[in-house]
Amino acid sequence: IMVKGSKPQVSQMNIREFLVIGRRLPSEENPNPKVYKLRIFAKDQVIAKSHFWYNMKKYHRVRKVDGEVMAIHELFEKNPTFVKNFGMIIKYQSRSGYHNMYKEYRDTTLCGAVSQMYMEMSGRHRARHDTIHICKTTEVKDKDVIRPAVKVYSAKGIQYPLVMRKHRSPIKKYKKIISYKRPNISLAQQIRQNPYDHYNAYQQQKHQQKK
């Protein structure tokens, strides 16, 4: 049941990749401060800026009041229509401490792979999203894949059955609840088969009875 104003839940998060560029405010002692840029995965620019200042304060001792964001750009995938293997090194905080981890995912975009990572970490390790830090991401070739869950899809000559929806007869007389044989869901069978064959035969039989 959906409440008015609510959105349907999806299996992945809407993750976007941003490149945030910032520095410390210029002063008399340092008129040309060092410029830092950071790739961040977040839902929007507001969260991306928040993550940027979190890392600036933790690693470079630059607070938000003492710095400025010079530019923020959204990065997009170069070839979003091809499936690729992505590997990422992450660090997350659990109830017992900090842990390093290497993950591999198969997706068309890097943002999609990061979204899978967030969902998996939430389900398997109960890790909150704000405690997960992505240290490095890279595109992995099929021969260099390590994880078995991704390696099974990278084998050469791999084939899977073509799953298609089986058309059911619109006439109750020809519907089957239990069948004695497995349905044929091959593409050639679906092309040759007309979902309204039983209906057309029923209409022809009815027309002949009237004559």
Side-chain angles (χ1 to χ4, degrees), residues 7 49-50 58 70 75 100 123 130 140 146 182-183 191:
K7 296 181 180 179
K49 291 179 182 179
S50 176
K58 185 174 182 179
M70 303 176 66
L75 305 179
N100 298 323
D130 55 348
V140 184
I146 301 175
R182 184 179 180 182
I191 293 175

Side-chain angles (χ1 to χ4, degrees), residues 162-164 184-193:
L162 182 62
V163 179
M164 296 182 65
N184 190 349
I185 56 175
S186 63
L187 181 61
Q189 180 71 13
Q190 292 289 337
I191 293 175
R192 291 195 303 266
Q193 186 181 15

Side-chain angles (χ1 to χ4, degrees), residues 1-100:
I1 301 174
M2 291 183 61
V3 184
K4 184 177 180 181
S6 63
K7 296 181 180 179
Q9 295 183 356
V10 295
S11 59
Q12 290 190 5
M13 299 172 56
N14 185 19
I15 297 295
R16 298 156 65 186
E17 184 179 4
F18 296 96
L19 180 65
V20 185
I21 303 171
R23 65 173 182 175
R24 187 190 293 270
L25 289 173
S27 60
E28 296 180 357
E29 298 178 355
N30 188 9
N32 296 317
K34 189 176 181 180
V35 178
Y36 300 92
K37 65 178 181 179
L38 190 64
R39 288 172 56 219
I40 298 174
F41 296 93
K43 290 185 177 181
D44 50 36
Q45 294 187 5
V46 177
I47 301 177
K49 291 179 182 179
S50 176
H51 289 330
F52 175 77
W53 290 120
Y54 171 83
N55 288 276
M56 288 290 289
K57 181 181 179 181
K58 185 174 182 179
Y59 298 106
H60 303 290
R61 296 184 179 180
V62 179
R63 298 184 303 170
K64 182 179 180 181
V65 295
D66 300 329
E68 62 178 352
V69 175
M70 303 176 66
I72 179 169
H73 306 287
E74 184 175 359
L75 305 179
F76 298 94
E77 191 74 23
K78 187 176 181 180
N79 296 318
T81 57
F82 295 93
V83 180
K84 297 172 283 293
N85 304 316
F86 295 99
M88 58 188 70
I89 300 174
I90 62 174
K91 180 181 69 173
Y92 80 98
Q93 181 183 8
S94 67
R95 289 172 290 183
S96 59
Y98 286 91
H99 309 277
N100 298 323

Side-chain angles (χ1 to χ4, degrees), residues 160-172:
Y160 293 96
L162 182 62
V163 179
M164 296 182 65
R165 185 171 60 182
K166 184 71 175 178
H167 295 287
R168 302 187 66 179
S169 175
I171 305 301
K172 187 177 181 180

